Amino acid sequence: MKRAGPLRRVSEWSRGGGGLAELLSPGGEPSRVVPSPDGGHLVLQRGGRLLAFQRLSGTGTELRRSWEPPPSREAPVGLLFPHSPRAAGGWVLAVVWERGRTELWRLAAGWQPLRALELCQGGRARVAAVCCQGERLVWCEERPPSDVHPDAGKGAFRFCVCARALEVEEQGVRLGPVSIVLHNSPEYRVLAAPRHVFMLPASPGGTAAAKFLLVWHPEEARLTLAAPSAGVVRSKVLQASSESDFRKLLLGSVGLLSALAPLDVHSCAVSDRGALLLVSTEGAVSVVEADGTQRHVFDLEGAPLAQENTVQLKTFGSTLACMLAGVLYLVDLNSGRLIEKKILNMKEVHFLESPGEEDSIQLLTQTGIYSLGFSSPEDSSRAEPCLVEMVFEEACRYYQRRSLSSSKLTVEKLKKGGAFQAPVALAAILQHSLHQKQKPARGLQDTYAKLLSTMSLELQSYLSLELLKSCVVAAPESEVESYCEELVEQEVSRVLHSDIDKDNLAYLNSVFASFPKAAWKATRSCLQLQQNGDGLVVARATPEVWKKVLGGPQQQEEVGQNGVVPLFELICASFLRFKPKWLPGFVEQTQQYIGLSWAYSSKEGPEGRVPLYKRALGVLARKSKRSEVDDEMELELLLCSQRPKAVLQALHLLIHLKRWQRVVEVAEKFSQLSPLLNKEIFTTLLAEFAQHRELDPYVDTLWPLCPAELTASDILTVVLQHLPRTQGDPVPFSSEGNQLTVGLLKPLLQRVVQRPCMQHEIYSDALQSPTFPPPTPPREH
């Protein structure tokens, strides 16, 4: 990782730079510094004063121009350098005043005025914010209502975002027609990137307009409405000027926007790569891309931030520089790691462009211009790769959890302590292996060489995974899908062979949500799911993988927040989406594995609290649309559990659906599991037999299911309790053909009466005993 060098002075102010030092002096309003594109000139603003300086290497600066505010005492809104290829130097200076007056200046033997233009079409308009994108000026203007008594409800929507081309030629300046980007809108801050323009709400609040930002893509004539916390809300192509009405733009998204939290923006800037940098009032620095996606980068110290706290943001390649209260934070924009934190003895500091110097930052202060360079350590072997740093940071977290001491364990203490050899050994092996392809490897200790031979396969797997990730980034669009499938399979396999903690489980949730098809293929590969010749689903996973898939009660208690679900539920959802017929067989396989690995109803096992079939039913119940296939799936899940309550629930569901053939098949199959379940099933079907004649064709199958302990009186009691209540004729003389008769029950009663009495067999030995009562059995000491 790069490291920041010492701060060195590049130039100090000459006598002509006294005005510059005065403007940069602390106190009052903060000054604003806008460097020219070539970095040779600076334009500063403080209040209504404008000063232009020329940078002189080594001797400081020279005051070249001073602007006085116009007679109306209006303030300058924007200091812009529009790109003008036909102008000398390729740029001009545009000073935009509050009432829309725009003065254009160029450098040719000093600052010379080109032309003064009126940016706005209406005389009463007021420019609230302005930016330039190439040769295009984009601004947000306020258009007061023309009537005497304006509607108070529409006062907040009196702003308009406009764009206008500005072409500077040798003959003069040509201003193109005004194009309306958005009208009837609230006030927006506009920030230009090379290919798009960000529009941020200027005033925070609880309104719907303060909950999202807009991104305008001029080349596509498209507006993207995005809430950074929720992603893209809506994207619309503006085919006509009537479609740019702000209120019409929100019509299809009012319900979604009402559930979002307001934007929390304290400071903002645009990075070199065209992304939006945001700092919240809590000090969180985030990056918002042009498509609306947000990524958290870093947290500043000293939060929350007050309105008067000034935060300067600037990117230099992949390095983000943040200045807050005289403290300079240098952060790696890709990883979010803090490179260095420097405390500067300067109250007001501004970032400058560093043309031709990508590895340095130039700072403008009251005393001069300073440069801060990045340098790698002289000994390249000391530069640890990110993976080695992660090893030490993860080891710190691990040992901190196990430590009984309240003192904070740091990476430096971990390296110097001498008591923690595992992370030191692992870091040495990783450094040895990762540098082998780049340069000759350094000597490795004998004690580590043996460990390296054990870890060689894991290291090869890791390196191939990193190579695959780089292939995904650089692959053409036609090959991305195949690369993603292979990458997801390796990632799922890696996580399943590691500890499933909260972070890994949340990561698997995101993988299954982002790549559902690839995650399903990875699941089939890791669990070795297939269908044998008999049509049964077979899974040949190792016991370690099975335990990760099923998850115990502890894992189930830890998850459930922020939409994170256990791995078993994720796999069941994939079954329902891609192979629903296999789900009951998979649940049956998991129950067989549980029966072999844990004692029945053991609290340590995954079924200690919630049975697996109920967890699978919970996934089925979360489907948005219900169909007949889902009803059949519910039946199969209940029956595959082979639990008495679930089987009876399925039986009652089949009776409710009047699927009598299936009712009889279930009764015949599951009556053999246990005598108690056999009695419950037969009693249930006998009660149904007493109420209607739907089961008459199946009596030859039902009567053999009668339990041995049921007597004729028990059967008649059940029948009499469930006979339907009729009005009119008594039962023996009923004219309807659906009533139960003695003739229908006769075969069952004959079968029960002709059976040998079980009680006589039980007590036969006692009745034939010569002594009565029998002798007391001997006591066991």
Side-chain angles (χ1 to χ4, degrees):
M1 181 181 290
K2 294 180 179 180
R3 300 184 185 276
L7 196 68
R8 60 184 182 87
R9 179 178 291 183
V10 177
S11 62
E12 57 183 348
W13 306 138
S14 61
R15 294 180 181 179
L20 182 61
E22 181 184 347
L23 280 185
L24 291 174
S25 61
E29 297 182 15
S31 55
R32 180 183 179 195
V33 179
V34 182
S36 62
D38 60 0
H41 298 269
L42 305 173
V43 181
L44 288 90
Q45 171 195 348
R46 191 169 214 176
R49 291 187 62 190
L50 289 177
L51 296 176
F53 291 85
Q54 181 182 11
R55 289 180 56 178
L56 303 175
S57 59
T59 60
T61 60
E62 179 186 355
L63 179 61
R64 300 294 297 271
R65 176 72 195 175
S66 177
W67 285 268
E68 294 296 331
S72 59
R73 310 298 296 176
E74 55 186 298
V77 179
L79 303 175
L80 311 173
F81 287 95
H83 178 63
S84 304
R86 302 175 188 86
W91 54 269
V92 295
L93 171 64
V95 182
V96 183
W97 301 89
E98 192 175 9
R99 291 301 175 185
R101 178 180 172 84
T102 304
E103 300 176 4
L104 297 176
W105 298 76
R106 68 178 174 185
L107 268 174
W111 289 97
Q112 295 183 358
L114 275 177
R115 187 180 174 186
L117 305 169
E118 292 296 334
L119 198 60
C120 307
Q121 290 182 331
R124 302 175 59 200
R126 181 184 68 87
V127 177
V130 64
C131 66
C132 68
Q133 186 193 46
E135 292 185 296
R136 183 187 293 110
L137 296 180
V138 183
W139 73 94
C140 177
E141 68 176 49
E142 182 182 10
R143 294 183 174 180
S146 57
D147 50 338
V148 181
H149 301 286
D151 186 2
K154 298 181 180 180
F157 299 96
R158 61 177 181 268
F159 290 85
C160 180
V161 180
C162 310
R164 203 167 190 178
L166 178 67
E167 297 181 4
V168 181
E169 302 176 351
E170 293 295 334
Q171 294 78 13
V173 180
R174 188 166 66 89
L175 199 60
V178 177
S179 62
I180 305 296
V181 180
L182 196 66
H183 61 88
N184 293 332
S185 74
E187 183 180 355
Y188 275 103
R189 287 181 284 180
V190 288
L191 297 96
R195 303 187 64 180
H196 44 270
V197 178
F198 292 100
M199 291 185 275
L200 277 170
S203 56
T207 62
K211 297 183 177 182
F212 61 90
L213 57 88
L214 296 173
V215 186
W216 179 46
H217 306 266
E219 297 179 0
E220 306 170 16
R222 179 167 54 90
L223 263 179
T224 299
L225 188 150
S229 60
V232 177
V233 177
R234 189 181 182 189
S235 185
K236 183 178 182 181
V237 177
L238 306 178
Q239 299 177 350
S241 60
S242 60
E243 296 183 359
S244 62
D245 187 270
F246 177 78
R247 285 169 288 191
K248 291 182 180 179
L249 184 68
L250 298 188
L251 282 180
S253 311
V254 175
L256 178 59
L257 293 175
S258 62
L260 298 176
L263 285 175
D264 183 13
V265 180
H266 179 274
S267 304
C268 58
V270 177
S271 69
D272 299 339
R273 301 174 183 177
L276 181 64
L277 303 172
L278 295 180
V279 181
S280 68
T281 55
E282 297 297 325
V285 183
S286 305
V287 176
V288 181
E289 302 294 341
D291 57 0
T293 56
Q294 182 180 15
R295 177 172 61 90
H296 177 262
V297 177
F298 184 70
D299 288 320
L300 295 173
E301 299 176 356
L305 302 176
Q307 191 65 34
E308 59 271 12
N309 293 132
T310 303
V311 181
Q312 300 272 353
L313 298 172
K314 182 71 175 173
T315 56
F316 300 87
S318 61
T319 303
L320 170 65
C322 301
M323 178 68 69
L324 171 63
V327 181
L328 176 63
Y329 299 89
L330 300 177
V331 182
D332 188 346
L333 202 57
N334 297 325
S335 63
R337 297 176 183 272
L338 179 65
I339 299 175
E340 193 155 347
K341 172 184 172 183
K342 283 185 174 292
I343 300 177
L344 307 178
N345 296 323
M346 307 162 186
K347 294 299 182 181
E348 188 166 351
V349 181
H350 298 272
F351 296 115
L352 298 180
E353 300 291 340
S354 305
E357 299 181 14
E358 297 180 356
D359 291 337
S360 67
I361 298 176
Q362 291 199 353
L363 307 173
L364 177 68
T365 69
Q366 185 185 3
T367 58
I369 298 177
Y370 293 83
S371 177
L372 185 69
F374 294 103
S375 60
S376 300
E378 296 179 0
D379 184 8
S380 60
S381 64
R382 290 185 343 199
E384 298 175 348
C386 293
L387 182 62
V388 176
E389 291 186 357
M390 290 174 60
V391 167
F392 285 114
E393 291 178 1
E394 186 67 28
C396 277
R397 285 194 290 266
Y398 173 74
Y399 289 121
Q400 191 72 48
R401 286 198 303 266
R402 298 184 57 186
S403 175
L404 300 178
S405 174
S406 59
S407 61
K408 184 70 174 178
L409 181 63
T410 63
V411 175
E412 288 74 16
K413 292 181 181 178
L414 190 70
K415 294 178 181 178
K416 297 177 182 179
F420 309 101
Q421 291 300 312
V424 177
L426 181 57
I429 289 173
L430 289 174
Q431 283 181 329
H432 173 84
S433 303
L434 295 177
H435 287 288
Q436 275 184 342
K437 295 183 179 180
Q438 301 174 3
K439 61 181 182 179
R442 295 176 296 157
L444 193 66
Q445 297 182 21
D446 295 337
T447 54
Y448 297 163
K450 186 177 181 180
L451 184 59
L452 174 59
S453 63
T454 307
M455 295 177 55
S456 58
L457 293 178
E458 297 292 337
L459 284 173
Q460 291 176 9
S461 175
Y462 171 78
L463 292 174
S464 64
L465 183 60
E466 291 300 312
L467 178 62
L468 180 58
K469 289 179 180 179
S470 62
C471 292
V472 172
V473 175
E477 189 174 355
S478 58
E479 301 177 8
V480 168
E481 185 176 357
S482 61
Y483 278 126
C484 283
E485 288 183 359
E486 185 178 353
L487 178 60
V488 168
E489 181 175 348
Q490 291 196 27
E491 285 290 271
V492 171
S493 176
R494 179 185 65 82
V495 176
L496 286 182
H497 287 84
S498 60
D499 293 334
I500 305 292
D501 54 8
K502 291 181 181 180
D503 295 336
N504 280 337
L505 196 57
Y507 175 62
L508 280 178
N509 274 254
S510 64
V511 168
F512 274 75
S514 303
F515 307 98
K517 188 175 181 181
W520 162 245
K521 291 184 177 180
T523 303
R524 288 189 59 177
S525 175
C526 292
L527 298 180
Q528 301 184 39
L529 286 170
Q530 56 186 352
Q531 202 170 17
N532 61 11
D534 299 332
L536 300 177
V537 178
V538 179
R540 295 185 175 89
T542 61
E544 290 76 12
V545 173
W546 267 125
K547 290 183 179 180
K548 305 290 175 55
V549 169
L550 299 179
Q554 294 81 10
Q555 178 182 329
Q556 298 174 33
E557 291 173 356
E558 291 177 356
V559 300
Q561 299 178 354
N562 300 325
V564 179
V565 297
L567 182 57
F568 179 76
E569 277 76 354
L570 283 178
I571 295 177
C572 288
S574 292
F575 271 105
L576 287 175
R577 183 169 182 175
F578 297 102
K579 205 74 172 177
K581 292 183 180 179
W582 285 17
L583 180 57
F586 171 71
V587 175
E588 193 170 359
Q589 279 275 308
T590 57
Q591 292 176 152
Q592 292 176 5
Y593 171 75
I594 289 172
L596 298 175
S597 303
W598 285 286
Y600 180 73
S601 72
S602 171
K603 290 187 177 181
E604 287 76 17
E607 287 209 337
R609 307 227 176 139
V610 182
L612 291 179
Y613 81 94
K614 286 190 176 181
R615 294 171 63 180
L617 286 173
V619 177
L620 180 64
R622 284 192 289 269
K623 289 188 65 175
S624 56
K625 295 182 180 180
R626 189 81 175 184
S627 61
E628 294 182 1
V629 179
D630 296 329
D631 295 336
E632 185 65 29
M633 178 63 63
E634 182 179 355
L635 282 172
E636 293 297 331
L637 289 174
L638 289 171
L639 294 175
C640 78
S641 69
Q642 298 187 1
R643 295 199 171 203
K645 290 184 178 180
V647 172
L648 290 174
Q649 185 180 348
L651 191 67
H652 285 290
L653 186 58
L654 288 170
I655 291 172
H656 176 73
L657 297 174
K658 300 184 184 301
R659 297 173 56 181
W660 305 113
Q661 177 68 33
R662 184 83 167 118
V663 166
V664 174
E665 292 174 357
V666 169
E668 191 175 15
K669 177 180 179 180
F670 290 95
S671 292
Q672 302 173 6
L673 292 181
S674 68
L676 184 60
L677 183 58
N678 181 19
K679 182 178 180 181
E680 291 287 343
I681 291 176
F682 184 78
T683 305
T684 301
L685 296 183
L686 184 60
E688 289 294 322
F689 182 79
Q691 297 176 27
H692 50 76
R693 307 274 57 80
E694 301 288 348
L695 288 172
D696 287 0
Y698 308 101
V699 291
D700 293 338
T701 307
L702 293 180
W703 297 156
L705 302 180
C706 179
E709 65 269 17
L710 278 186
T711 63
S713 60
D714 296 333
I715 293 174
L716 291 175
T717 301
V718 174
V719 169
L720 292 176
Q721 287 177 348
H722 293 87
L723 281 175
R725 296 181 180 180
T726 58
Q727 297 179 354
D729 299 334
V731 174
F733 308 101
S734 174
S735 58
E736 299 179 4
N738 62 347
Q739 296 294 331
L740 177 64
T741 62
V742 176
L744 293 173
L745 277 177
K746 184 178 179 181
L748 176 61
L749 296 175
Q750 286 180 341
R751 185 183 185 91
V752 173
V753 171
Q754 292 174 1
R755 236 173 7 206
C757 183
M758 296 295 295
Q759 293 182 354
H760 289 262
E761 295 179 1
I762 295 173
Y763 297 107
S764 60
D765 295 338
L767 294 175
Q768 296 176 3
S769 177
T771 60
F772 186 84
T776 304
R779 295 181 181 272
E780 294 182 0
H781 296 284

